[in-house]
């Protein structure tokens, strides 16, 4: 077996792309998208019919303002792309809530319910989708509300251990800790040199979270994300799920070497006590972690920028 096949035997592989052709090629279990990936898809002529359909549906609501129609079209484009991807994967598709709502619990809940309703109109129930939300305090509380209604969530832009603790305590279905962006921060702000992938701070972060969850019996799924190289992926073999870009899926598929399991729920050990964070302690711990604070803020800004670019593209159609 090549390394991709070996990885699939111990970890659920998720495609980190909005490119339907790549998903068809690598046959992952699940798929996940975000505003950046959707913007890239919207600029591809192959997916233009989805964009046109989204805009047509949004314009049919004459009660909306122009700005509301553009936002609605962007949401509908995300749902149409997600529904098309769902035809190619047997599992779930993650669709992201507008990052501009990251600091409003009620608005995040409302947007999530709208996305669920839009999927339902296309024949996809909550068993096939995950609502993707930034792991701010407000986002985590929104996810807690949604999970209580049977709507599963994927908490993204997760960089700090405190974020992971709060997500598990809230009963979130899945988290997406960002491996590569953690490494990016350390490379930019320290003199770190990585000799072994196991010394990578992003790998260590996911490993710590995985061991904490398994030691304390949390059911929240850990899905490592945002990989910069193949070594990071191999160092997390055995994690619940890993979401991987097409270029790294190709590299794994072309590698016939042996892949060793690195994470195992049965032998997981954590020295961190089980905690139920309160808002004040969550914000204090996040503020104390410069890397997590910087990357969470940066990630939200980037997703907002790409969301606005997507809306500008739709407006120009």
């Amino acid at each position: 077996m090549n390394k991709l096949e070996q990885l699939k035997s111990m970890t659920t592989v998720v495609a980190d792309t909005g490119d339907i052709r790549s998903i068809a090629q690598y046959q992952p279990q699940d798929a996940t998208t975000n505003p950046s990936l959707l913007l890239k898809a919207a600029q591809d002529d192959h997916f233009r019919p989805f964009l046109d359909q989204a805009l047509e549906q949004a314009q049919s609501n004459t009660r909306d303002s122009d700005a509301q129609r553009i936002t609605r079209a962007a949401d509908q484009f995300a749902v149409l792309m997600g529904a098309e991807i769902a035809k190619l994967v047997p599992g779930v598709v993650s669709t992201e809530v507008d990052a501009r709502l990251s600091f409003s619990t009620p608005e995040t809940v409302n947007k999530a319910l709208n996305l669920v309703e839009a999927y339902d109109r296309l024949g996809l129930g909550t068993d096939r989708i995950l609502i993707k939300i930034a792991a701010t305090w407000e986002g985590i509380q929104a996810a807690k509300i949604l999970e209580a209604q049977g709507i599963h969530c994927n908490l993204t832009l997760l960089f700090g251990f405190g974020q992971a603790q709060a997500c598990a305590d809230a009963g979130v279905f899945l988290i997406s800790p960002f491996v590569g962006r953690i490494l990016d921060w350390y490379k930019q702000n320290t003199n770190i040199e990585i000799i072994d992938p196991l010394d990578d701070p992003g790998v260590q972060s996911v490993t710590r979270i995985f061991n904490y969850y398994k030691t304390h019996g949390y059911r929240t799924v850990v899905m490592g994300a945002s990989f910069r190289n193949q070594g990071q992926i191999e160092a997390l073999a055995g994690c619940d799920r890993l979401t991987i870009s097409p270029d790294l899926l190709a590299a794994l598929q072309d590698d016939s070497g042996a892949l060793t399991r690195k994470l195992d729920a049965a032998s997981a050990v954590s020295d961190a006590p089980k905690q139920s964070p309160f808002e004040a302690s969550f914000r204090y711990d996040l503020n104390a972690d410069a890397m997590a604070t910087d990357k969470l803020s940066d990630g939200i800004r980037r997703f907002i920028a790409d969301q606005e670019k997507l809306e500008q593209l739709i407006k120009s159609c």
Side-chain angles (χ1 to χ4, degrees), residues 233-259:
I233 296 169
E234 294 186 26
L236 293 173
C239 191
D240 297 328
R241 303 185 192 188
L242 298 175
T243 180
I244 305 171
S245 61
D247 59 331
L248 289 174
L249 288 172
L252 289 164
Q253 191 173 64
D254 293 339
D255 191 336
S256 59
L259 182 65

Side-chain angles (χ1 to χ4, degrees), residues 8-29:
K8 286 181 177 180
S9 72
M10 61 185 84
T11 290
T12 298
V13 173
V14 180
D16 191 10
T17 179
D19 187 342
I20 292 171
R21 291 160 296 191
S22 294
I23 294 169
Q25 179 180 356
Y26 296 110
Q27 299 181 327
Q29 174 71 20

Side-chain angles (χ1 to χ4, degrees), residues 103-250:
F103 301 101
S104 172
T105 295
E107 288 184 282
T108 295
V109 170
N110 185 58
K111 177 70 77 171
L113 294 175
N114 288 339
L115 291 172
V116 168
E117 183 181 346
Y119 269 114
D120 185 65
R121 288 195 295 268
L122 295 176
L124 285 174
T126 54
D127 59 323
R128 295 298 315 280
I129 59 173
L130 296 181
I131 299 300
K132 204 171 179 184
I133 301 170
T136 58
W137 177 260
E138 294 82 1
I140 295 169
Q141 301 316 301
K144 184 176 183 178
I145 294 169
L146 293 165
E147 292 284 356
Q149 298 180 33
I151 299 170
H152 290 320
C153 300
N154 170 354
L155 271 290
T156 187
L157 295 177
L158 195 147
F159 303 98
F161 189 66
Q163 289 175 288
Q165 288 179 306
C167 285
D169 187 64
V172 168
F173 177 77
L174 180 147
I175 63 167
S176 300
F178 277 32
V179 178
R181 295 195 195 186
I182 291 176
L183 177 60
D184 293 345
W185 188 91
Y186 278 93
K187 282 185 172 181
Q188 184 176 1
N189 294 278
T190 73
N191 295 320
I192 192 171
E193 292 185 16
I194 307 298
I195 306 301
D196 187 316
L198 295 178
D199 297 327
D200 185 310
V203 170
Q204 292 175 344
S205 176
V206 175
T207 299
R208 185 187 183 197
I209 293 167
F210 179 89
N211 288 335
Y212 175 80
Y213 280 13
K214 305 313 175 187
T215 297
H216 297 297
Y218 287 114
R219 299 177 66 179
T220 300
V221 174
V222 181
M223 182 173 75
S226 175
F227 294 105
R228 297 292 179 260
N229 55 67
Q230 185 176 331
Q232 291 177 324
I233 296 169
E234 294 186 26
L236 293 173
C239 191
D240 297 328
R241 303 185 192 188
L242 298 175
T243 180
I244 305 171
S245 61
D247 59 331
L248 289 174
L249 288 172

